[in-house]
């Protein structure tokens, strides 16, 4: 009699996992169907764009509350505030170094390939390039000031990740200072987090519809001719991103954390598929937070590294801007010397931070950076408008991979990662709960060995 209910209880989670497995098979089928529709009926396919936009907006709707809950629960349960500062300092230092490395790799590949040689710029493309200059990217000082929300609540209503991060940090430190008096608030936020993740799991069932609309619109708007004429740049960019992820990031992950990058990416396979089908790395941000916590990285590290990385650790965007700048210069017959390339790319490195969170930030930042640093090259931005959405997929995948690896590395450097749990999760012994996106049996604070030493307590 006792065995039967247990068997029934254990069968239910398996049924839930089976259903989510079929969901992502449906996403793959929707992507294939979207490509076919985009090639056969391009005009009709373009009209399907709102399907993809609507799905991505549903995901973005959940980002601010998830970031807030994760950071507040993590920081509010840490006794030593210096630990949080150390995590943030290490993360920002790593982001800066990797951005420079990505720029350098794109610089080398762009100078070797010279993909823009022999192309001609029409008047229509010239106007298209100048149209991209009107972006929402902010100068560095204005960007810093924009992190401060108008009100405490507007950080959530405006959907600004960095504003949410600031408010969550303040709330977390305040609860930390309150001690036991803050425990009821922490428990309330923990229940709110469960609600938010359950809503997210419901929204994910719309993924096939969103993937179909997004892919169909991209293929229908770009067309086969645009893909053929710019194939060298596209392939070169994809290969460069591939090499950066698997050679540079893979080597770092192996040396620092002792993990195989293929095992980590297999664990994140559904998130990569989601990004590929929506061309947006933000669509996978909430799931990355949940999965990094499930993997064994402590909440303070996940809560600080992932949201900050989505604004400052844009490896794919760095490579894109480097190769696109050299491509445009070659196409216009005015190739840049190394002495001209380095100042431009350093300028773009700073400009990209001011465009964090802006839709289509890669192309807009490139145009705005060229306008400020070398206006003669703005005309050539129109040459890559047609394939920018295809390249945005590689940018998004690379940015996501970079932030996933960064979270593990920062967790390792700060000793805020349970390596035993990591091995079990990657081996498939502790499957991720696709229904709740949370580990219901775990405490709101990760009890890694170092967490206990540093004074982490259960909420």
């Amino acid at each position: 009699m006792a065995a039967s209910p247990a068997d029934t209880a254990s069968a239910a989670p398996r049924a839930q996992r089976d259903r989510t497995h079929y969901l992502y098979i449906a996403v793959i089928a929707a992507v294939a169907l979207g490509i076919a529709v985009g090639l056969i009926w391009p005009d009709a396919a373009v009209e399907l764009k709102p399907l993809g936009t609507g799905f991505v907006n549903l995901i973005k709707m959940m980002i601010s509350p998830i970031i807030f809950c994760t950071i507040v629960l993590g920081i509010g349960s840490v006794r030593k505030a210096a630990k949080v500062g150390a995590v943030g300092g290490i993360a920002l230092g790593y982001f800066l170094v990797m951005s420079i490395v990505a720029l350098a790799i794109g610089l080398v590949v762009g100078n070797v390939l010279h993909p823009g040689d022999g192309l001609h710029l029409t008047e229509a493309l010239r106007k298209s390039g100048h149209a991209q200059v009107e972006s929402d990217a902010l100068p560095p000082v204005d960007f810093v000031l924009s992190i401060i929300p108008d009100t405490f609540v507007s950080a959530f209503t405006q959907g600004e990740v960095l504003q949410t991060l600031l408010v969550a940090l303040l709330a977390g430190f305040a609860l930390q200072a309150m001690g036991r008096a803050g425990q009821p608030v922490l428990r309330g936020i923990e229940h709110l987090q469960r609600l938010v993740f359950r809503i997210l799991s419901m929204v994910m069932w719309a993924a096939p519809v969103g993937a179909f609309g997004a892919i169909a619109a991209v293929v229908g708007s770009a067309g086969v001719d645009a893909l053929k004429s710019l194939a060298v740049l596209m392939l070169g960019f994809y290969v460069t991103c591939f090499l950066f992820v698997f050679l540079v990031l893979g080597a770092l992950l192996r040396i620092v954390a002792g993990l195989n990058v293929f095992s980590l990416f297999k664990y994140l396979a559904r998130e990569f598929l989601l990004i590929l089908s929506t061309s947006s790395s933000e669509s996978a941000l909430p799931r990355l937070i949940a999965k990094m916590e499930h993997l064994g990285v402590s909440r303070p590290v996940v809560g600080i590294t992932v949201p900050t990385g989505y604004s400052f650790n844009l490896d794919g965007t760095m490579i894109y801007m480097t190769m696109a700048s050299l491509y445009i210069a070659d196409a216009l017959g005015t190739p840049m010397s190394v002495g001209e390339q380095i100042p431009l790319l350093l300028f773009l490195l700073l400009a990209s931070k001011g465009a964090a969170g802006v839709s289509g930030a890669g192309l807009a930042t490139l145009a705005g950076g060229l306008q400020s640093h070398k206006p003669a090259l703005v005309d050539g931005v129109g040459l890559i408008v047609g394939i920018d959405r295809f390249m945005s997929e590689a940018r998004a995948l690379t940015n996501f991979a970079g932030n996933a690896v960064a979270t593990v590395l920062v967790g390792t450097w700060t000793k805020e990662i349970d390596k035993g749990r990591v091995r079990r999760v990657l081996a498939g012994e502790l499957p991720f709960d696709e229904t709740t996106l949370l580990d219901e049996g775990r405490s709101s604070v990760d009890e890694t060995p170092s967490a206990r030493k540093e004074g982490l307590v259960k909420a």
Side-chain angles (χ1 to χ4, degrees):
M1 293 293 292
S4 179
D7 292 341
T8 304
S10 62
R14 280 195 293 269
Q16 294 286 352
R17 286 195 293 273
D18 286 341
R19 286 201 290 270
T20 59
H21 175 71
Y22 293 133
L23 167 64
Y24 286 91
I25 292 177
V27 171
I28 296 174
V31 169
L33 180 61
I35 293 174
V37 171
L39 293 175
I40 300 172
W41 301 290
D43 293 336
V46 173
E47 300 300 321
L48 297 174
K49 184 178 180 180
L51 294 177
T53 302
F55 173 71
V56 173
N57 288 343
L58 282 173
I59 298 291
K60 288 182 178 180
M61 175 182 71
M62 311 307 300
I63 290 176
S64 289
I66 287 173
I67 290 175
F68 179 80
C69 293
T70 302
I71 295 178
V72 171
L73 287 173
I75 296 176
S77 304
V78 180
R79 285 180 181 167
K80 295 185 179 180
K83 188 68 180 178
V84 179
V87 170
I90 291 172
L92 288 174
Y94 170 80
F95 295 159
L96 178 61
V97 171
M98 291 311 297
S99 293
I100 295 174
V101 170
L103 283 171
I105 291 175
L107 191 68
V108 172
V109 174
N111 280 290
V112 170
L113 288 182
H114 293 290
D117 289 346
L119 290 181
H120 300 287
L121 183 67
T122 65
E123 187 61 30
L125 290 177
R126 187 186 305 273
K127 292 179 180 178
S128 178
H130 279 279
Q132 302 302 318
V133 177
E134 298 177 5
S135 71
D136 295 327
L138 298 173
V141 174
D142 292 339
F143 169 63
V144 173
L145 292 177
S146 71
I147 297 175
I148 304 173
D150 295 331
T151 66
F152 188 90
V153 178
S154 65
F156 305 97
T157 59
Q158 294 177 5
E160 296 290 342
V161 171
L162 290 181
Q163 289 185 3
T164 306
L165 179 62
L166 175 63
V167 171
L169 287 171
L170 294 174
F173 283 124
L175 287 170
Q176 180 190 72
M178 291 171 65
R180 291 186 179 276
Q183 293 300 312
V185 180
L186 283 174
R187 292 198 178 280
I189 294 175
E190 190 170 6
H191 289 303
L192 176 63
Q193 185 189 48
R194 290 195 180 99
L195 171 65
V196 171
F197 272 118
R198 182 56 68 99
I199 294 174
L200 178 64
S201 68
M202 294 164 58
V203 169
M204 289 307 301
W205 286 97
V209 177
F212 169 72
I215 290 295
V218 171
V219 175
S221 62
V224 178
D225 293 337
L227 303 184
K228 289 179 180 178
S229 63
L230 300 172
V232 175
L233 176 63
M234 281 182 57
L235 292 176
F237 178 61
Y238 270 79
V239 170
T240 304
C241 289
F242 181 88
L243 295 176
F244 175 81
V245 168
F246 289 100
L247 295 185
V248 178
L249 296 181
L252 273 174
L253 191 64
R254 170 64 71 180
I255 294 170
V256 175
L259 298 179
N260 187 309
V261 70
F262 292 100
S263 298
L264 178 63
F265 290 169
K266 180 182 177 182
Y267 171 63
L268 298 172
R270 291 186 173 185
E271 287 66 45
F272 281 112
L273 174 61
L274 183 61
I275 293 170
L276 184 65
S277 60
T278 59
S279 297
S280 171
S281 59
E282 284 190 343
S283 63
L285 189 154
R287 289 179 59 89
L288 178 61
I289 290 176
K291 279 204 162 182
M292 287 293 103
E293 286 186 23
H294 176 75
L295 184 66
V297 184
S298 71
R299 267 192 177 149
V301 171
V302 174
I304 293 172
T305 305
V306 174
T308 308
Y310 261 68
S311 293
F312 292 95
N313 189 35
L314 307 173
D315 299 329
T317 303
M318 296 296 103
I319 296 173
Y320 165 81
M321 290 195 298
T322 308
M323 295 187 65
S325 298
L326 298 180
Y327 169 83
I328 291 170
D330 289 342
L332 296 180
T334 56
M336 292 186 289
S337 65
V338 176
E340 293 177 303
Q341 293 172 17
I342 294 177
L344 171 62
L345 297 177
L346 291 178
F347 177 86
L348 291 173
L349 173 64
L350 296 175
S352 67
K353 311 311 179 191
V358 178
S359 178
L363 187 62
T365 304
L366 174 65
L370 292 177
Q371 174 69 26
S372 301
H373 197 78
K374 197 166 183 179
L377 296 181
V378 175
D379 292 347
V381 174
L383 289 167
I384 59 175
V385 170
I387 62 163
D388 179 70
R389 283 300 303 272
F390 283 96
M391 296 175 73
S392 73
E393 293 174 353
R395 288 200 304 267
L397 291 169
T398 305
N399 291 341
F400 178 83
N403 285 308
V405 172
T407 306
V408 176
L409 296 180
V410 174
T412 302
W413 285 323
T414 57
K415 296 182 174 60
E416 288 297 326
I417 186 170
D418 187 339
K419 293 185 177 180
R421 182 179 176 85
V422 171
R423 285 191 291 270
R424 294 179 65 194
V425 169
L426 296 184
E429 297 174 13
L430 296 174
F432 180 71
D433 189 345
E434 292 285 349
T435 303
T436 63
L437 306 185
L438 289 169
D439 297 317
E440 295 290 354
R442 301 182 72 199
S443 166
S444 63
V445 179
D446 300 70
E447 289 212 78
T448 63
S450 67
R452 289 191 290 270
K453 290 180 184 178
E454 294 294 334
L456 286 175
V457 295
K458 288 185 179 180

